[in-house]
Every structure is written in C-alpha cells, then in structure tokens.
Amino acid sequence: MALTQLQKLELNKRVDRIFHAPSNAPARGHQPEIAFVADMTGDTEAVHSSVRDAVASLKAHDKMFQNMRSNMVYWSGEQITSKVTPMSFILMGRAFDNDIRVGNLGANVDKSLDFGNLCAYLKLYHARCRCMLVFVDCSYEELEARSFYVTDTELAMQELNPFLKYRLLLVTKDKMITGSELMMRLIR
C-alpha cells in the first residue's frame, strides 16, 4: 500500500492545510506535534510502508517536519497504545519492530475496530498534536461499507468536536478524507 506520487502530493497539501488552518492555531510556546495512527488489524506491512512514505514525503516537502515531535499510535480493536517515535525511526523501520510495537496483538485481531474509541483516545492523550494521520488497510469503498468503523454515530461526532475534526486525516489505499468530511458523512 505504498503511496503513489499523486497521493504524496495530495497528502502534503492536505497536511499543510491542516497545520495552517485558523482553527488549528499553535499553542503559545509549544512546538507542533504530529501523530501517525496505524490500523494493526490488517496487513501491517502495507500500513508500515504507507506511514514510511508519508513521513518521507512530509520531510522532503517542508523543513518544518525536520525536527517535529511525532507519535505512533497502534490501533487494534479494543487495544490502543502509543509511543513517542521520532520520524527518523519511522523512516528506518523501527516503528514497527516487534519490541516497539504493542504487546500481544494476536489476541485482538478478531475484534472489530471502533472509530469512536480511537477519537476518544486521541482527544485524551494526543490533544497537543496539531495533525493526526490515520492509516487504514482498505480502500475507501470498503471503509464506507464498514461505516467508517463507527459503531455509535453520536459518540463519534461528540469525540470529533470541538477540535479533532480539524486535525484528523484518514488515509485509505485510494483516497484521503478529513475529519470534517467524515463528520458530514456521519450526519447524513
């Protein structure tokens, strides 16, 4: 699921738009942070290559990303864990090593993902991140058929407000969707 050149260009533009949005103004004295969320229930190698391509593209795009603090969030069913991971570690492939990755994922593979729980986790533990990229191992049509992993629409909309909808970007195999666009789809 490596990103194509067109997807990298779109990712750069969308992330720029997220970082420079008036609703996403930087906090005084805080350096910007970014979070990369990886869906661990599917093909982890495909997600890993997408995350690595995204990091390489962002670092080549703007020098703002050269020394930016980054976090890896591992999303697997009921278990969501995170680790502060420099972008250079992601590029070297160390973000998905067995000793760094969450413990026993095999027990959670059969559990379905819940987008509301992920949003609650990101809102609670990664509120300082000005951009959150969620990488899923499926196409946009498959994600839409799975109702965007939303089990409780009201909970998901509540967790996306007030700021998460402006900072979130879902990256599928063939399309990218912002948190605001996702929220509009949930309202319908």
Side-chain angles (χ1 to χ4, degrees):
M1 182 175 122
L3 298 178
T4 64
Q5 286 298 106
L6 190 60
Q7 287 173 320
K8 290 177 186 178
L9 181 64
E10 182 183 2
L11 178 82
N12 291 339
K13 286 183 178 182
R14 285 183 178 252
V15 170
D16 273 346
R17 216 174 298 142
I18 289 171
F19 269 102
H20 297 99
S23 60
N24 199 7
R28 190 179 200 98
H30 290 275
Q31 285 192 322
E33 287 186 39
I34 191 168
F36 299 97
V37 181
D39 170 14
M40 302 302 288
T41 59
D43 183 10
T44 56
E45 285 302 316
V47 171
H48 176 218
S49 67
S50 293
V51 172
R52 191 174 358 167
D53 287 350
V55 168
S57 178
L58 290 172
K59 284 178 85 74
H61 172 66
D62 194 345
K63 69 178 185 175
M64 173 177 76
F65 296 101
Q66 296 300 322
N67 292 319
M68 185 178 287
R69 182 182 166 122
S70 64
N71 303 289
M72 276 301 305
V73 179
Y74 303 98
W75 178 31
S76 172
E78 295 293 319
Q79 183 179 8
I80 304 171
T81 57
S82 61
K83 184 166 180 66
V84 176
T85 309
M87 288 188 193
S88 58
F89 278 29
I90 296 171
L91 286 175
M92 289 188 295
R94 298 199 40 209
F96 286 81
D97 285 347
N98 290 332
D99 57 332
I100 294 176
R101 197 169 33 184
V102 288
N104 185 10
L105 287 177
N108 292 332
V109 170
D110 292 337
K111 294 187 178 181
S112 62
L113 298 175
D114 186 6
F115 186 74
N117 289 344
L118 175 67
C119 288
Y121 182 88
L122 292 174
K123 195 173 183 181
L124 184 63
Y125 294 108
H126 294 283
R128 286 179 43 176
C129 293
R130 288 184 46 211
C131 182
M132 299 165 199
L133 303 175
V134 180
F135 293 87
V136 293
D137 181 39
C138 63
S139 67
Y140 178 75
E141 288 80 23
E142 292 171 358
L143 186 66
E144 195 172 35
R146 295 176 188 166
S147 302
F148 301 100
Y149 296 123
V150 174
T151 56
D152 185 1
T153 306
E154 288 299 318
L155 173 70
M157 288 177 28
Q158 180 183 4
E159 295 300 338
L160 282 170
N161 277 321
F163 63 89
L164 198 58
K165 63 184 174 188
Y166 300 116
R167 298 179 181 183
L168 197 70
L169 181 66
L170 255 83
V171 181
T172 64
K173 289 181 180 180
D174 56 351
K175 192 172 180 180
M176 296 177 200
I177 182 170
T178 64
S180 299
E181 293 170 337
L182 177 64
M183 193 164 181
M184 292 306 294
R185 295 197 191 277
L186 292 177
I187 290 172
R188 288 189 224 160

